[in-house]
Amino acid sequence: MSMRPWQPFLPYNAVCCRYSEIGTKGRNRGSFVRRLVEGLGRSLGESFASPRFEVERGRVYLYPGREQGGLLTREQWEALRREIPNLPGIASVSPGWHCPRTLEALQEYVWRTLPQVVEAFLATHSPEERTYAMRVNRCDKSFPLHSDEIEKGFAEEVFRRWPQLTLDLKKPALRIGVDLRPSGIFVDYERIPGPGGLPAGSGGQALALLSGGIDSPVACYEMIRRGTNVDFVTFHSAPYTPEAGLTKICDLARILNHFQHRGRVVAVNLLPFQKAVRDNCEEKFRTVLYRRSMMRLASVVARHFQDEALVTGENLGQVASQTLTNMRVIQEASPMMILRPLLVYDKLDIMAVARKIGTLDLSQIPVPDSCTIFAPASPATAASLALVKANEARLDLPALLQECLRQTTIMSTVTYQAHPFPELLEQPLAL
């Protein structure tokens, strides 16, 4: 259910955080839930000074600190709406009320708060949109009434008070949620959707090859949504490529870092290698040779950061280097596992995700990158590994890769400042 800008602010005393996939983790569920609670605390820490969490099966309840009288402030309510869509592992969140486990308490909370909600609802919805339902989740089977009995009992009174409403059990525009649990009853009127997936940090660490295009930021997001913390490496060809390219990368990384622990940004100057390829190798193999060198250089960065895999935004058949044959040849140069989360995505699906996470407009700003430097007129779409290696044999690979590493910097996503990164020269090369 989508967010409702018409929803009035009410004196909520609790927040119900739901997860979905974590519930399938069996004996490991506890560690995933702990990560989720840590993420909630980290994301909401500025707004919730001393929140209290309680964990039940399928739910994490958040209670405001006592300094607010145990009630949610408007600032905290707005923080939930702002931060929850960025928090992997969360299916949805509802501000609401935790009340005693009695029918009388349920009636008290509903009839005290529902009139304000209905008033705002009727004022913002046309007659044909004014649909209603109560959905009761009776996890506590010892509760004396069944779900349908509670729903019907409230419906009779709701329609008596507000005859403008009509019943719609499938997709009601106004929904009362009731969760009956042994610890009490939770009542809510809205669900703020989260991104789903797994909590940040629960899936290890990886290094993503981040370009200024549409695909690679989405690939990063999909990995983050699976619980992987992502660092970033980008390739440029200064002075042939402008500084605006690195600024753009920092901006993309800053957006992606909203969904995870802060990922670091490393910028590698590929120009020394590109010039050598231009002067010594067959033109049609340039793109594949560039990509192989990127994998080698990225592996050095990943080893330094103790990242476990490389991530790319490759999409099968989208460009010349992304045929199965060429990807196999490129993969052969990498000493690390390469993950391609977008391999079979449609372009429109990738763009839809980019739009949702806020990277699409930025990615569509045209800035020359290293892929455009000395690009071949007719790139090979089915490169022979033997011929590619024969072309590499014409190069002094160790010296060229070391020169690229010497010109590598680590970037600040806030100030855009580039700092030397000489520690990479101490890492072994993969040749």
Side-chain angles (χ1 to χ4, degrees), residues 294-353:
M294 289 179 182
M295 299 305 164
R296 291 184 172 112
L297 292 163
S299 296
V300 174
V301 178
R303 277 196 296 265
H304 180 79
F305 286 156
Q306 297 184 323
D307 294 324
E308 301 172 68
L310 303 180
V311 177
T312 74
E314 290 169 304
N315 182 254
L316 187 59
Q318 186 168 197
V319 295
S321 65
Q322 295 175 19
T323 63
L324 279 178
T325 301
N326 282 354
M327 283 192 290
R328 178 179 60 83
V329 172
I330 293 166
Q331 170 87 51
E332 193 273 342
S334 174
M336 302 190 71
M337 174 171 55
I338 300 177
L339 304 177
R340 301 177 175 92
L342 306 186
L343 190 66
V344 296
Y345 276 42
D346 289 336
K347 189 66 176 184
L348 291 178
D349 294 335
I350 297 172
M351 293 178 69
V353 176

Side-chain angles (χ1 to χ4, degrees), residues 237-314:
S237 304
Y240 287 79
T241 51
E243 283 191 25
L246 293 180
T247 301
K248 181 179 179 181
I249 293 296
C250 288
D251 290 340
L252 289 168
R254 194 165 59 249
I255 292 172
L256 292 166
N257 280 340
H258 289 161
F259 301 95
Q260 63 164 4
H261 307 299
R262 183 181 62 84
R264 295 155 288 193
V265 178
V266 173
V268 181
N269 191 342
L270 197 63
L271 187 61
F273 185 85
Q274 289 177 297
K275 284 183 173 180
V277 169
R278 177 199 62 186
D279 296 339
N280 297 283
C281 301
E282 295 179 67
E283 181 183 350
K284 64 181 180 180
F285 294 133
R286 285 180 188 173
T287 302
V288 171
L289 290 167
Y290 294 166
R291 294 291 294 179
R292 282 169 63 88
S293 70
M294 289 179 182
M295 299 305 164
R296 291 184 172 112
L297 292 163
S299 296
V300 174
V301 178
R303 277 196 296 265
H304 180 79
F305 286 156
Q306 297 184 323
D307 294 324
E308 301 172 68
L310 303 180
V311 177
T312 74
E314 290 169 304

Side-chain angles (χ1 to χ4, degrees), residues 116-245:
Q116 298 175 66
V117 175
V118 174
E119 180 183 357
F121 177 75
L122 294 177
T124 53
H125 290 72
S126 63
E128 59 273 14
E129 295 174 324
R130 294 170 180 170
T131 56
Y132 155 89
M134 172 182 276
R135 307 309 291 166
V136 177
N137 179 30
R138 184 170 170 262
C139 296
D140 178 12
K141 302 306 180 186
S142 67
F143 197 82
L145 295 176
H146 287 213
S147 298
D148 58 346
E149 293 175 314
I150 298 171
E151 292 168 359
K152 289 176 182 177
F154 274 92
E156 291 176 0
E157 180 64 16
V158 165
F159 293 132
R160 186 189 69 78
R161 295 191 185 194
W162 298 288
Q164 308 97 312
L165 301 177
T166 58
L167 186 66
D168 183 349
L169 296 179
K170 293 184 177 180
K171 291 185 178 181
L174 173 61
R175 174 188 174 281
I176 303 177
V178 177
D179 218 2
L180 298 175
R181 292 180 171 260
S183 63
I185 300 174
F186 186 81
V187 182
D188 70 83
Y189 298 121
E190 68 171 327
R191 292 195 176 190
I192 303 169
L198 298 174
S202 62
Q205 292 190 175
L207 178 71
L209 280 70
L210 181 61
S211 73
I214 296 172
D215 297 351
S216 61
V218 174
C220 294
Y221 170 75
E222 295 294 8
M223 292 303 300
I224 293 168
R225 207 170 66 86
R226 300 306 303 164
T228 303
N229 203 66
V230 176
D231 291 310
F232 312 101
V233 61
T234 192
F235 296 88
H236 63 97
S237 304
Y240 287 79
T241 51
E243 283 191 25

